[in-house]
């Protein structure tokens, strides 16, 4: 035990070199742990299900299932990082979804080309307005987010019912349905490869540009070997993803499906949200507010406006999630998004967002959502009852927060 | 002292519920001058300065900057008047690193309008090294830094942007001797450049080293404002503790003249 500790400290030993390597790669150790958890979970589920889990078909479904919660979880990261909470996301998603479906089916001309794009636009706008409204009470009237959004949870669920008096609205526009990732809701083999190649090129360009900028400022860049290894890893992941999505074929044919549209939407959301958190002042302010709200104010940050914007973004993301959900269901039902707030908050928290504020990442939240969805999906494959699934997910949430406290203590 | 005062606070009040934290305080500050604001714990020094820096709204009274009435309601307003503050509480976002804190609210941007973290890091390195050459871990979250390092970050943030008025609320409380000396030098240099400085300190030595005038507060009131050459340390202590000068006091500079 003692020797081991010494070996770790001795310069040049394998342990310290590994540590130095991880350090120089600037890989988040916490993220690494989560990736490992996911890998172990996947392998475990694969074995328990006798090889049903890691199949193209199941992974495709898993990707589609994860996208709705993931999209909302990226917004929840901002909310929780800024020391707030949003309990209303499931209801807001249900309400905006109902309004979209109602407009598309009952109000606007059926089959008109402008119908579905306009309903999407209105749905996202409605999400933004709801977010602004809740954000206003939280930021400018100083009512705790817990209270405002708990009220929102009830109100918007009620509104979701009132839109059509509880009637389910269907069917949606055929083009609109593609957004849900159904049988035709994917982009096919060729475009999936185009997407993969573009993605790899972008990752390479970003790496190169980052390196340039670092050396221009006279900082020592990461070791080139490390950089290349990371790049290769990314390329392998992207290629692997495209191959898996292409390996799942349409029913009774051998036409590859390719990347499902909801996953493309998710990728778009992740890129935008990552940019917002990493390279805009707004994102920096959100984290500053979470770290020390008073300091943020004294630094001249408009904390109220920033808070309101956070909730607006959250609302728009609920709108996007509503689009995917209604497209996938091919209907608007007032129960959409019921209990989604719990999955969304759990995804963010399992993904390393600290409930104390100031800490969290978009990538982490996606990992969190995928871990949660994998568990859920795997348990369904095994045939675990829905009651038991809830018990397990609940326990996992507690474990994740426990892990978070341990991680913070031992750092 | 014929120039217009840089800052003039006139009859300023601040109440917190029943607590009358600042009572009818007036004071002024001229360009290139260091004014020490002294007083016992809880005398109201920080609250007085918080009103100038926009951190607390002013209840009653006026603030004039360069002879014109100023309307300071938020920290942003104060910054627009060239007022920079080193807060007693440091006011750092603990989860962010030193460059992010230094530029918080005034980030450097690239041509794309995005955060230019590399430039901010390079600039931060320079200014932090000037204050503490041993400061290397600037990319750590400030929560993981030592008290002195945190204070250096707070100081750097106030001096990096061309301040015209600098408020230093116990800036060296957590600093080691060499860093303190560095901050003292820096204070002198800044005042020589024409910046007006309010310095809150409990260290008589520092006060007599760098202040041109002192103002003493007791229980929220201004109990006296004197050129530093007119008072001794004992006089100042008497003001702080009793709220008045010794019975036999007369301006010390005059005494010297009389003695000659
Ligand atoms: N935000 C606040 N709310 C209520 N009371 C406050 C607040 N800030 C300060 N006070 C009160 O105002 C009085 C003056 O406080 P202040 O911080 O100005 O003291 P100080 O002179 O800076 O003391 P120290 O030397 O300990 O820093 C104290 O009685 C304090 O309790
Ligand atoms: Mg104070």
């Amino acid at each position: 035990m003692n020797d081991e500790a010494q070996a770790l400290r001795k310069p040049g030993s394998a342990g310290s070199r590994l540590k130095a390597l991880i350090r120089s790669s600037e890989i988040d150790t916490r993220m690494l742990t989560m990736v490992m958890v996911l890998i172990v979970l996947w392998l475990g589920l694969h074995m328990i299900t006798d090889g049903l889990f890691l199949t193209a078909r199941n992974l495709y479904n898993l990707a589609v299932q994860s996208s709705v919660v993931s999209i909302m979880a990226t917004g929840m990261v901002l909310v929780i990082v800024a020391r707030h909470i949003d309990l209303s996301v499931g209801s807001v998603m249900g309400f905006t979804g109902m309004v979209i479906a109602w407009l598309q089916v009952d109000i606007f001309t059926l089959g008109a080309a402008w119908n579905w794009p306009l309903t999407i636009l209105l749905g996202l706008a409605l999400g933004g307005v709801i977010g602004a409204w809740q954000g206003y009470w939280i930021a400018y009237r100083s009512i705790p987010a817990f209270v405002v959004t708990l009220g929102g949870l009830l109100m918007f669920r009620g509104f979701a019912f009132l839109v059509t008096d509880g009637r389910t609205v269907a069917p949606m526009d055929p083009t609109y349905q593609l957004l849900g990732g159904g049988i035709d809701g994917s982009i096919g083999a060729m475009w999936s490869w185009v997407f993969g190649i573009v993605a790899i090129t972008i990752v390479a360009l970003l790496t190169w540009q980052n390196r340039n900028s670092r050396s221009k400022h006279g900082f020592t860049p990461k070791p080139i070997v490390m950089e290349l290894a990371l790049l290769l890893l990314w390329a392998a992941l992207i290629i692997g993803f495209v191959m898996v999505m292409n390996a799942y074929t349409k029913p009774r044919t051998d036409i590859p499906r390719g990347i499902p549209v909801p996953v493309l939407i998710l990728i778009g959301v992740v890129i935008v949200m990552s940019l917002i958190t990493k390279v805009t002042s707004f994102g920096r302010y959100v984290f500053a507010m979470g770290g020390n709200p008073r300091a943020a104010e004294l630094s001249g940050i408009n904390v109220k406006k920033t808070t309101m914007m956070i909730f607006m973004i959250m609302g728009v993301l609920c709108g996007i999630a509503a689009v995917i959900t209604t497209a996938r269901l091919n209907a608007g039902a007032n129960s959409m998004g019921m209990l989604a707030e719990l999955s969304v908050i759990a995804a963010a928290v399992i993904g390393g967002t600290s409930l104390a504020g100031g800490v969290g990442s978009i990538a982490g939240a996606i990992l969190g959502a995928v871990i949660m969805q994998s568990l859920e999906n795997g348990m369904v494959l095994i045939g675990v009852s829905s009651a038991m699934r809830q018990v397990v997910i609940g326990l996992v949430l507690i474990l994740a927060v426990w892990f978070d406290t341990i991680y913070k203590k031992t750092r | 002292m014929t120039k217009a005062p840089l800052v003039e606070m006139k009859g300023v009040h601040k109440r917190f519920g029943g607590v009358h934290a600042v009572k009818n305080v007036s004071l002024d500050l001229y360009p290139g001058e260091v004014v020490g604001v002294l007083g016992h714990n809880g005398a109201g020094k920080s609250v007085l300065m918080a009103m100038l820096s926009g951190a607390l709204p002013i209840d009653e009274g006026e603030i004039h900057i360069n002879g014109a009435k100023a309307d300071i309601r938020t920290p942003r307003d104060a910054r627009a008047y060239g007022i920079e503050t080193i807060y007693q509480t440091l006011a750092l976002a603990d989860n962010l690193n030193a460059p992010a804190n230094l530029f918080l609210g005034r980030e450097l941007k690239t041509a794309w309008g995005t955060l230019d973290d590399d430039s901010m890091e390079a600039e931060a390195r320079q200014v932090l090294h000037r204050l503490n050459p041993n400061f290397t871990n600037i990319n750590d979250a400030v929560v993981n830094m030592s008290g002195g390092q945190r204070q250096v970050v707070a100081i750097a943030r106030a001096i990096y942007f061309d301040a015209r008025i600098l408020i230093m609320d116990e800036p060296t409380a957590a600093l080691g001797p060499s860093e303190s000396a560095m901050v003292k030098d820096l204070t002198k240099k800044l005042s020589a450049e024409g910046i007006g400085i309010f310095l809150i300190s409990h260290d008589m030595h520092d006060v007599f080293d760098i202040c041109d005038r002192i103002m003493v507060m007791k229980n929220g009131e201004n109990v006296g404002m004197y050129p530093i050459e007119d008072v001794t340390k004992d006089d100042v202590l008497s003001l702080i503790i009793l709220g008045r000068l010794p019975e036999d006091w007369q301006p010390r500079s005059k005494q010297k003249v009389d003695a000659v």
Side-chain angles (χ1 to χ4, degrees), chain B residues 40-47 87-89 169-170 200 202:
Chain B
H40 58 86
N41 288 130
K45 309 180 293 290
S46 296
V47 170
Y87 291 98
Q88 188 171 16
T89 54
D169 196 343
E170 304 192 26
I200 301 182
H202 291 290

Side-chain angles (χ1 to χ4, degrees), chain B residues 156-169:
Chain B
R157 174 168 63 181
I159 60 166
Y160 178 81
F161 303 92
D162 302 312
R164 289 194 298 133
I165 300 154
L166 187 58
I167 302 169
M168 306 172 95
D169 196 343

Side-chain angles (χ1 to χ4, degrees), chain B residues 52-97:
Chain B
L52 181 58
S53 67
L56 286 174
I58 191 165
D59 278 358
E60 223 181 288
E62 288 181 359
I63 296 175
H64 290 239
I65 308 276
N66 283 329
K69 188 167 184 294
D71 188 17
I72 298 174
R73 290 180 200 193
T74 65
R76 209 195 309 244
D77 295 340
R79 280 185 173 181
Y81 282 109
I83 301 171
E84 291 290 334
T85 312
I86 301 162
Y87 291 98
Q88 188 171 16
T89 54
L90 303 185
L92 299 173
D94 287 328
N95 54 337
L96 301 183
N97 63 17

